[in-house]
Amino acid sequence: MKILAVATQKGGVGKSATTQALGVVLANAHGRRTLMVDVDPQSSLTLACGVTAEERSLAEVLDGKAKLGDVLVELDKNLWLAPADIALANTELFLAAQLGRETVLKRALVAAGSRFDVCLIDCPPSLGLLTINALTAADAVLIPTQPQVADLRGVRLFLSTLEKIREVLNPSLETLGIVATFYDNRLLHHRDAIETMKAGGLPLLPVFIGRSVRVAEAAAAGQSVITYEPSNKQTAAYRELAEIVNQWLNDPRKT
Ligand SMILES: Nc1ncnc2c1ncn2[C@@H]1O[C@H](COP(=O)(O)OP(=O)(O)OP(=O)(O)O)[C@@H](O)[C@H]1O
Ligand SMILES: [Mg+2]
């Protein structure tokens, strides 16, 4: 099983929507046994999958009270979710005092790894212990960002955080790349930000996710835009992004 964390400390940039869309496409179109893990106490991904708070959650796993397999929800053929709930906020405090606090998620995933081909971790918008756990468990990280010059400072800060994670916790962590979200090519400041990223040598992926109200509508309806509106332009963009992830999964350097 390869593990991809979808992360950055900035909020509202489409991390959860991207995780869900990738999960649906990798499971349905590529036939990958896909596990999505929601490590955000806000539980946006869990809710967008139509899973309610009554289900058991990842908090129990990280608290050592359950195994990952006990909390998984089967969403579709090849697609599972380890749901979040607000209890994860307490878990983050609990973890702080534990020995091996950065590797709790990694150990839980390794134990369940043979059941899946790929694991996608949807991170909270912070650099707290839950995100650190995700980046320590991951083989690679995907960084969504809105293409605005003001946000690029945050992206650079996040890239330097990844360097620290590599030095201390996870030397083999790859950067899959940065994906621009809410992109509108009619906006000069968006085009400027893209050019700035390219000129600065940032690892920008050649896929641009645009804004569509259908993405938010789909989340409110408990599904991804992929199934909600298959003909949507953003569905096509997410499929392109999933193709990049699929190629990375085929990369024999790691399995
Ligand atoms: N491409 C898109 N077009 C329009 N709306 C979108 C798009 N992607 C996400 N959204 C909506 O924007 C909001 C934020 O997206 P999302 O929850 O995916 O971001 P996030 O980075 O996970 O946020 P947080 O940092 O709070 O976890 C949600 O209401 C979501 O439905
Ligand atoms: Mg989110």
Side-chain angles (χ1 to χ4, degrees):
M1 175 175 79
K2 278 180 149 182
I3 303 174
L4 178 67
V6 181
T8 186
Q9 77 276 11
K10 175 102 176 150
V13 296
K15 294 181 292 297
S16 301
T18 301
T19 307
Q20 188 181 14
L22 287 177
V24 170
V25 178
L26 288 170
N28 290 349
H30 297 281
R32 302 281 190 180
R33 295 170 302 160
T34 305
L35 169 64
M36 299 187 293
V37 177
D38 189 353
V39 299
D40 184 357
Q42 291 180 106
S43 314
S44 315
L45 172 65
T46 300
L47 296 171
C49 292
V51 175
T52 58
E54 287 103 67
E55 310 283 344
R56 302 183 73 180
S57 94
L58 184 71
E60 290 179 57
V61 180
L62 300 184
D63 288 348
K65 295 184 187 136
K67 294 215 162 55
L68 190 69
D70 301 332
V71 307
L72 293 186
V73 180
E74 188 169 357
L75 298 173
D76 201 350
K77 186 165 183 272
N78 290 330
L79 189 61
W80 290 263
L81 172 74
D85 72 18
I86 192 67
L88 271 173
N90 286 328
T91 300
E92 190 157 37
L93 298 174
F94 164 85
L95 284 180
Q98 301 300 305
L99 198 66
R101 59 191 179 170
E102 294 96 350
T103 54
V104 179
L105 179 61
K106 179 177 178 156
R107 284 177 272 139
L109 291 175
V110 165
S114 59
R115 291 179 56 187
F116 309 101
D117 301 315
V118 57
C119 168
L120 306 169
I121 309 177
D122 182 31
C123 293
S126 79
L127 294 173
L129 256 184
L130 292 168
T131 300
I132 302 291
N133 260 273
L135 296 173
T136 303
D139 297 298
V141 55
L142 175 66
I143 308 161
T145 186
Q146 295 198 30
Q148 295 169 158
V149 171
D151 289 350
L152 298 189
R153 198 174 152 267
V155 171
R156 289 200 176 88
L157 175 75
F158 188 67
L159 291 171
S160 62
T161 301
L162 295 180
E163 277 307 315
K164 284 188 203 130
I165 297 274
R166 286 186 188 101
E167 276 167 32
V168 181
L169 293 162
N170 186 3
S172 59
L173 178 66
E174 295 175 58
T175 302
L176 187 70
I178 297 168
V179 59
T181 53
F182 297 91
Y183 177 66
D184 184 341
N185 72 357
R186 292 167 304 179
L187 299 177
L188 179 62
H189 73 286
H190 279 196
R191 297 201 306 270
D192 276 352
I194 296 295
E195 288 313 313
T196 304
M197 279 192 265
K198 286 182 181 165
L202 297 190
L204 183 67
L205 293 170
V207 174
F208 299 87
I209 310 294
R211 183 188 291 271
S212 165
V213 70
R214 298 282 184 242
V215 177
E217 276 178 21
Q223 57 179 299
S224 164
V225 71
I226 308 292
T227 48
Y228 189 77
E229 194 170 79
S231 62
N232 191 278
K233 205 175 158 199
Q234 304 328 318
T235 294
Y238 284 125
R239 285 185 184 282
E240 279 181 50
L241 187 62
E243 185 55 48
I244 292 175
V245 177
N246 194 49
Q247 300 264 328
W248 171 72
L249 293 174
N250 284 336
D251 185 342
R253 273 183 300 170
K254 264 196 157 180
T255 52

